[in-house]
Amino acid sequence: MKYLDKSKRGWWEKAVFYELYPKSFQDSNGDGVGDIRGIIHRLDYLQELGVDAIWLCPVCASPQVDNGYDISDYCAIDPMFGTMADMEELIAEGRKRGIGIIMDLVLNHCSDQHFWFREALKGKDNPYHDFFIWRDGGPDCPPNQMRATFGGLAWTWAPEVGQWYFHQFAEEQPDLNWDNPAMRQELYRSIRFWVDKGVAGFRLDVIDQIGKDADLEITNNGPRLHEYLRELSAEAFREDWLVSVGEAWGADIERAKLYSNPDGSELSMVFQFQHICLDQEPGKDKWDMIPLELPKLKACLADWQRQLHGKGWNSLFFNNHDLPRIVSRWGNDREYRVESAKMLATMLHGMEGTPYIYQGEELGMTNICLPIEAHVDLETLNMYGERIAQGYDPGEVMASIHARSRDNARTPIQWTAGKNTGFTTGDPWMPINPNYTRINAEAALADPDSVFHYYRKLIQLRKTYDVFHKGSFTLLCPEDEKIFAYTRDTEEEHILVICNFTDETLTFDVPGNFWGSEMLINNYVEDSHKLRPYESVILYYHD
Ligand code: GLC
């Protein structure tokens, strides 16, 4: 298998990334929680899949209020995950297999247990006090009514200093004050620590919030955002082969061109969410669901494809650790689970950008249906409490949790049909999806028609044909409500991607220039002149 040379700028444009949620990947010591040694043990599996890099969700020291997105020491490994020596071994073992490690950097906020915050609470003249965002006022009079993403007010009263501090997420996640240059330098030092350890790059958590103005109630896309990004890039990402991925819920196409400017002044690519928010009520939040309209999805993705071409770089994804499983969301996780999982992958992997596979997606893992007591995610639990108190119908609240909760993505990887699905010898920290007896890696590896082997093939196609990397994009039949079809073209190479988003058998007129072309991949084994339920195909020819 050929691997990309990761010492060259731009390697990520031909790469496929794998997002790994360590708590649920593989336990090695029987405590029920995944760990770094577990990941090392499974690297051969990822090598077989063919991915080029792992986006490793946070493994730094953390009280785990938000599963590691509340960091208490940026340069230490949380003992739950192992030791620094384990981490070094993971980086080295990854490198042997051509797999880079991308650290998850949470720079917008830290944990209230971080030394900086504990110092900050000691007094207004402590040097670390200004590392955070404070406002004066009485304990009954918050600076404004801004809401935190995880519920409640975004301000918490600290009696120790008689002030309010700002937190966009949980109160245990105080926001860092990016207007303080000394704070920024401390963060850059931590980043350099990991560069020196040999990581391939970084994913930057909610990076669109670092330029916020808490008084004006602006969180995303604040006035100094891009100035700070340029400084961060110049000071911390000095090597041009380091990949940097900016999570930006607030990015539109124009912003994305700044984030991923090909001149390298900010980040390598943007990770934005416009397409994945199309099935929620506009202006409301993710719990308020509406059905997906395929023409809207096509228009959105086509806009990004066309307008960013040559001007920036996007991430391609349907899943991550904050999103429900796509096969349950926009596919059919019952009779067409395998077909629809493959179809969705085809649609995405045919496009321009860097595809991300979220752990278990390559197995066609599905959402889980849990009673509220079995949920662990604080966002889910807080929303449940708030909505029940507001008088929402409990059945409706649970329906949105089953469809949207982050816990859907966080159940342990299903490795085998055996005890605890081979994830742990102890008690798993989260329930295992009962369908593990059917859906698991062991079965998928043994079945040449599995979702796993299909992803493997898609990854190989991207490495074999240049058109996947740089072909221009043309959307076909934009108004069709059932079929998503597009072409990609370079001077020499052409592909046509056709995807049936329904459980019906349809017809599709292949444009004349693709008659007699080569079939690169198809999610059905037998030939047919019809487009079968959730069928997808990629056709290819070169001049
Ligand atoms: C990002 C992470 C999410 C986390 C939040 C706060 O959106 O992906 O998991 O809870 O930021 O750090």
Side-chain angles (χ1 to χ4, degrees):
M1 187 174 300
K2 259 194 349 216
Y3 284 104
L4 296 170
D5 180 354
K6 303 203 174 69
S7 64
K8 295 208 169 66
R9 180 179 152 72
W11 60 268
W12 49 85
E13 293 189 359
K14 292 187 174 170
V16 176
F17 287 4
Y18 188 87
E19 186 195 351
L20 193 153
Y21 200 66
K23 265 184 144 170
S24 295
F25 194 70
Q26 176 68 59
D27 179 21
S28 73
N29 63 359
D31 65 358
V33 181
D35 48 43
I36 296 171
R37 299 221 67 78
I39 303 172
I40 296 170
H41 172 68
R42 293 290 185 186
L43 278 176
D44 290 342
Y45 167 84
L46 297 179
Q47 184 179 23
E48 182 163 1
L49 183 58
V51 294
D52 302 284
I54 295 171
W55 153 16
L56 188 66
C57 287
V59 289
C60 289
S62 162
Q64 303 288 324
V65 170
D66 185 20
N67 285 330
Y69 286 91
D70 47 321
I71 291 177
S72 54
D73 185 343
Y74 287 95
C75 299
I77 296 294
D78 196 289
M80 171 198 289
F81 294 121
T83 63
M84 190 58 79
D86 294 335
M87 187 65 195
E88 286 162 356
E89 193 176 323
L90 173 63
I91 294 169
E93 288 297 319
R95 179 167 297 155
K96 279 189 205 159
R97 294 166 177 81
I99 299 176
I101 303 295
I102 296 172
M103 293 288 282
D104 203 327
L105 280 177
V106 190
L107 305 178
N108 176 66
H109 47 268
C110 62
S111 160
D112 63 348
Q113 298 308 306
H114 195 291
F115 167 76
W116 300 339
F117 194 71
R118 287 195 280 120
E119 284 293 301
L121 285 179
K122 289 185 179 162
K124 291 182 189 168
D125 48 7
N126 186 289
Y128 293 101
H129 183 266
D130 189 50
F131 273 35
F132 299 90
I133 299 170
W134 301 95
R135 294 293 177 268
D136 294 327
D140 302 321
C141 182
N144 56 40
Q145 292 302 312
M146 267 179 89
R147 309 284 303 165
T149 307
F150 295 156
L153 266 190
W155 297 97
T156 289
W157 176 251
E160 296 88 337
V161 285
Q163 283 182 306
W164 295 86
Y165 68 89
F166 182 81
H167 54 89
Q168 185 54 53
F169 296 92
E171 66 179 73
E172 296 89 346
Q173 294 167 293
D175 276 42
L176 290 161
N177 176 18
W178 273 74
D179 294 336
N180 181 322
M183 190 292 293
R184 302 203 300 273
Q185 288 302 323
E186 287 289 340
L187 288 181
Y188 304 154
R189 261 196 286 281
S190 315
I191 297 173
R192 296 306 300 173
F193 173 87
W194 290 109
V195 175
D196 292 344
K197 291 269 177 222
V199 300
F202 301 94
R203 176 261 183 185
L204 306 164
D205 190 63
V206 289
I207 201 66
D208 54 349
Q209 302 196 2
I210 61 173
K212 73 181 69 62
D213 186 325
D215 299 311
L216 296 180
E217 307 200 15
I218 297 173
T219 38
N220 295 334
N221 303 331
R224 298 184 68 185
L225 169 65
H226 293 281
E227 172 192 334
Y228 290 149
L229 283 172
R230 285 191 293 271
E231 183 188 278
L232 167 70
S233 171
E235 300 240 354
F237 307 144
R238 288 176 225 145
E239 296 76 1
D240 64 2
W241 49 263
L242 273 176
V243 65
S244 51
V245 184
E247 186 200 22
W249 286 83
D252 56 16
I253 296 173
E254 289 311 309
R255 290 254 166 210
K257 289 180 189 166
L258 295 175
Y259 277 111
S260 58
N261 191 329
D263 72 2
S265 55
E266 294 194 12
L267 307 175
S268 318
M269 72 181 97
V270 64
F271 195 96
Q272 58 75 33
F273 295 82
Q274 283 193 345
H275 63 292
I276 210 73
C277 294
L278 292 172
D279 58 358
Q280 78 187 40
E281 276 184 55
K284 296 224 180 155
D285 63 29
K286 69 179 193 184
W287 309 105
D288 303 300
M289 304 175 290
I290 52 172
L292 175 72
E293 290 173 37
L294 192 60
K296 283 194 181 153
L297 177 68
K298 295 197 283 192
C300 174
L301 288 169
D303 260 4
W304 279 88
Q305 289 289 301
R306 284 192 299 248
Q307 293 191 46
L308 223 54
H309 186 65
K311 304 211 168 79
W313 198 253
N314 203 359
S315 306
L316 302 171
F317 68 95
F318 282 142
N319 286 287
N320 77 4
H321 64 289
D322 296 326
L323 300 170
R325 295 279 178 188
I326 197 62
V327 70
S328 301
R329 185 177 187 173
W330 292 349
N332 175 327
D333 63 6
R334 298 166 308 275
E335 59 271 44
Y336 294 112
R337 184 186 65 85
V338 170
E339 290 80 0
S340 63
K342 292 176 181 175
M343 182 278 288
L344 289 160
T346 311
M347 197 232 85
L348 205 62
H349 285 239
M351 292 194 172
E352 177 172 314
T354 300
Y356 286 68
I357 301 169
Y358 176 67
Q359 65 181 37
E361 179 185 333
E362 77 282 11
L363 304 173
M365 275 178 62
T366 66
N367 281 352
I368 192 169
C369 189
L370 294 171
I372 191 67
E373 312 75 61
H375 278 276
V376 291
D377 170 37
L378 86 168
E379 182 191 46
T380 306
L381 295 169
N382 290 352
M383 182 284 280
Y384 180 82
E386 281 191 358
R387 291 207 167 181
I388 294 298
Q390 288 163 16
Y392 277 72
D393 171 54
E396 265 174 42
V397 176
M398 284 317 293
S400 54
I401 288 177
H402 291 147
R404 289 298 162 83
S405 169
R406 308 196 294 182
D407 283 338
N408 283 307
R410 299 177 180 185
T411 61
I413 286 281
Q414 295 162 205
W415 292 110
T416 70
K419 184 162 185 279
N420 289 336
T421 197
F423 164 68
T424 180
T425 54
D427 287 331
W429 77 285
M430 258 209 86
I432 291 167
N433 195 315
N435 62 23
Y436 76 92
T437 51
R438 276 184 302 120
I439 305 171
N440 61 68
E442 197 175 43
L445 285 164
D447 171 7
D449 294 326
S450 66
V451 179
F452 178 91
H453 287 298
Y454 194 88
Y455 268 90
R456 209 166 53 80
K457 200 164 168 196
L458 279 174
I459 295 169
Q460 288 315 308
L461 289 178
R462 179 162 285 262
K463 302 222 160 100
T464 310
Y465 301 97
D466 251 10
V467 62
F468 286 89
H469 170 220
K470 53 181 187 202
S472 64
F473 179 94
T474 309
L475 181 66
L476 307 182
C477 51
E479 301 306 327
D480 191 302
E481 288 172 1
K482 297 177 177 173
I483 296 172
F484 197 152
Y486 58 88
T487 55
R488 305 270 318 276
D489 301 278
T490 61
E491 294 275 304
E492 301 84 27
E493 292 188 317
H494 311 273
I495 55 168
L496 167 64
V497 180
I498 312 166
C499 296
N500 178 356
F501 265 70
T502 73
D503 57 7
E504 299 161 37
T505 297
L506 306 171
T507 51
F508 180 80
D509 291 330
V510 171
N513 52 332
F514 280 92
W515 292 357
S517 59
E518 183 185 339
M519 171 119 68
L520 291 185
I521 196 163
N522 179 206
N523 64 348
Y524 276 79
V525 178
E526 295 89 31
D527 284 347
S528 164
H529 291 296
K530 300 272 184 195
L531 199 57
R532 288 157 288 190
Y534 295 101
E535 181 159 6
S536 59
V537 53
I538 302 183
L539 301 178
Y540 169 88
Y541 72 90
H542 62 89
D543 295 320

